């Protein structure tokens, strides 16, 4: 019974951290949180600063020892909602915020993962 209380508490924390992360940037929504990975949709984000702010905000509440990645899509229809991502979802990522390094990768410009072809 005691373990069930902890599971309920942790589940509540995951849901509340998602809601908190989505509040700051109204054009961005966190659609999934898996440990230290945030899946986000930001249709209104246009600049590096927009993506950085969204990624930082999502990671602030879930980072462990400053480790967190925020995967960001511009198109809600193409965004992953669960992990693991499917290939087409990974290929349609718009940006990746790497919290520990304080680094933003805009996929079309920088490539977001090893082996990705820049567009």
């Amino acid at each position: 019974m005691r373990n069930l209380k902890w599971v309920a508490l942790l589940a509540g924390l995951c849901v509340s951290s998602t809601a908190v992360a989505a509040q700051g940037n109204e054009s961005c929504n966190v659609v999934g949180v898996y440990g230290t990975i945030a899946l986000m949709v930001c249709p209104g984000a246009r600049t590096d600063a927009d993506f950085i702010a969204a990624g930082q905000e999502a990671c602030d509440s879930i980072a462990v020892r400053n480790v967190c990645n925020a995967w960001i899509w511009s198109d809600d229809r193409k965004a992953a909602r669960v992990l693991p991502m499917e290939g087409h979802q990974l290929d349609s990522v718009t940006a990746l915020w790497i919290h520990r390094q304080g680094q933003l990768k805009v996929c079309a410009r920088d490539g977001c993962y090893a082996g990705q072809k820049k567009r």
Side-chain angles (χ1 to χ4, degrees), residues 1 5 10 16 20 30 33 40 57-58 71 76 80 88 95 101-102:
M1 186 67 154
K5 289 180 182 176
L10 290 174
S16 65
V20 169
V30 175
V33 174
M40 305 182 70
E57 188 164 350
W71 294 83
D76 183 52
H88 69 277
Q101 285 123 355

Side-chain angles (χ1 to χ4, degrees), residues 3-45:
N3 288 337
L4 289 176
K5 289 180 182 176
W6 280 108
V7 170
L9 176 65
L10 290 174
L13 289 174
C14 288
V15 170
S16 65
S17 69
T18 301
V20 169
Q23 286 175 358
N25 187 341
E26 293 177 13
S27 69
C28 294
N29 294 307
V30 175
V31 295
V33 174
Y34 298 89
T36 60
I37 298 172
L39 306 175
M40 305 182 70
V41 176
C42 295

Side-chain angles (χ1 to χ4, degrees), residues 71 90 93-96 98 105-108 110-114 116:
W71 294 83
L90 188 58
V93 171
T94 304
L96 171 63
I98 304 167
K105 291 188 173 197
V106 176
C107 300
D110 308 320
C112 284
Y113 59 92
Q116 181 186 32

Side-chain angles (χ1 to χ4, degrees), residues 28-96:
C28 294
N29 294 307
V30 175
V31 295
V33 174
Y34 298 89
T36 60
I37 298 172
L39 306 175
M40 305 182 70
V41 176
C42 295
R46 299 286 178 249
T47 66
D48 285 7
D50 292 339
F51 292 122
I52 290 169
Q56 284 177 331
E57 188 164 350
C59 284
D60 281 346
S61 61
I62 64 170
V64 175
R65 295 188 180 146
N66 208 30
V67 173
C68 174
N69 290 340
W71 294 83
I72 306 168
W73 286 264
S74 293
D75 187 339
D76 183 52
R77 296 168 295 160
K78 296 180 180 180
R81 300 283 196 284
V82 297
L83 292 179
M85 290 180 235
E86 295 180 17
H88 69 277
Q89 294 166 325
L90 188 58
D91 289 340
S92 63
V93 171
T94 304
L96 171 63

